[in-house]
Amino acid sequence: GSHPAPASTVLEGDDEDRPPIVDICVGRAEELTMLRESSASVVFITGIGGQGKSTLAAKYFADRQGGYSHYSLFIWRDCKEERERFENQLAAVIENVTNGRLRGKDLAHQDEESIVTLLLNSIRDIQALFIFDNVDHYVDIERKRLVGCADALAKAMLTSNLKRTQVVFTCRPNVDYNVVSTLTVRLEGISLSATESLFALRKASASSVDIAAAHHLTEGHALWLDLFAGQTAQGRNLRSL
């Protein structure tokens, strides 16, 4: 029979496993639309450090929790700790989803295929959005593929029939599984108009000529431009950008 849709649940683990707080996200409307409109089961957000991969993922994560969304389970995991096995990340999720019926420390000794199978079985009746942030050290740069358990999860998602569950990975290297059911969003520099918006939102005092020069010199690098805007914000005692 039909079951009522479960209430929305957000699993964010410990303090590291919370999305960054996004106060300003400019110049990424196109990428955000790509994410919102994609039916891909596996998504990669890639780009050099400081282009706003985590920021974009956090904005998407928050958007999906507001208004209409078919997801009822939202899971954010930060994977930047290099010593952390990906199996442990999944084991922690399984423990949460099963309300402790399956214990993380018991699961961590299972092989990667078993852990992935247990995870997908535990969410079979739930539509979930997973974000695994900063998975750089789980990427084989030459092959442009994930490795180990992260790769096992991606492959299982691509062959599973969990049509309305999505797994998003963020990382600096390019990743390409060359399958239709994946989406790769590569972040390049933000546009000049987005840079002008950023300076306006930061209430930064700079001429349009200086802003254009900064945009050109940084090739639109989001973090560097935001740092410049912060330094020239009103109230700071700097002569000029």
Side-chain angles (χ1 to χ4, degrees):
S2 66
H3 299 281
S8 175
T9 306
V10 183
L11 299 180
E12 293 175 349
D14 53 22
D15 286 343
E16 276 78 56
D17 285 314
R18 296 212 168 87
I21 292 161
V22 179
D23 61 339
I24 290 178
C25 181
V26 297
R28 297 299 182 204
E30 190 180 326
E31 290 89 345
L32 200 51
T33 300
M34 284 170 71
L35 290 169
R36 286 178 183 142
E37 294 180 353
S38 173
S39 57
S41 53
V42 178
V43 175
F44 298 99
I45 300 175
T46 67
I48 65 168
Q51 287 289 30
K53 300 179 295 294
S54 300
T55 301
L56 177 63
K59 182 85 175 77
Y60 177 59
F61 192 69
D63 274 11
R64 283 302 196 197
Q65 289 168 55
Y68 170 75
S69 172
H70 61 257
Y71 298 114
S72 56
L73 177 64
F74 298 87
I75 296 155
W76 180 285
R77 303 293 303 182
D78 188 344
C79 302
K80 70 171 162 281
E81 177 53 65
E82 292 200 22
R83 290 187 304 274
E84 177 83 273
R85 293 167 69 238
F86 196 74
E87 286 87 335
N88 294 357
Q89 293 281 1
L90 299 192
V93 173
I94 294 166
E95 181 169 345
N96 272 313
V97 172
T98 63
N99 294 319
R101 193 164 42 79
L102 294 170
R103 300 295 302 279
K105 60 176 186 289
D106 302 329
L107 294 167
H109 303 298
Q110 301 259 12
D111 64 78
E112 58 195 39
E113 302 290 338
S114 305
I115 288 185
V116 167
T117 301
L118 280 166
L119 174 69
L120 297 189
N121 284 340
S122 69
I123 58 160
R124 191 147 299 285
D125 301 320
I126 307 168
Q127 286 156 354
L129 174 62
F130 291 85
I131 309 241
F132 294 102
D133 196 22
N134 302 307
V135 298
D136 299 44
H137 53 285
Y138 302 126
V139 179
D140 179 329
I141 295 171
E142 299 286 312
R143 292 176 57 244
K144 297 184 178 177
R145 293 288 179 100
L146 295 168
V147 296
C149 191
D151 178 56
L153 174 61
K155 284 179 175 161
M157 281 297 301
L158 293 173
T159 55
S160 79
N161 55 3
L162 298 173
K163 295 295 179 216
R164 304 186 78 178
T165 281
Q166 189 176 65
V167 177
V168 179
F169 297 96
T170 80
C171 55
R172 281 171 289 194
N174 267 327
V175 180
D176 183 12
Y177 274 74
N178 202 17
V179 215
V180 183
S181 43
T182 63
L183 168 71
T184 299
V185 179
R186 179 84 184 162
L187 297 191
E188 305 291 350
I190 62 173
S191 68
L192 177 56
S193 64
T195 304
E196 288 164 346
S197 300
L198 175 62
F199 273 71
L201 288 163
R202 289 279 183 233
K203 297 183 168 55
S205 50
S207 71
S208 55
V209 173
D210 282 352
I211 292 172
H215 177 263
H216 176 71
L217 286 167
T218 62
E219 297 180 345
H221 189 278
L223 177 62
W224 297 339
L225 288 165
D226 197 28
L227 291 172
F228 292 163
Q231 287 297 313
T232 50
Q234 287 166 5
R236 290 195 179 261
N237 205 10
L238 287 177
R239 281 189 310 233
S240 74
L241 173 59

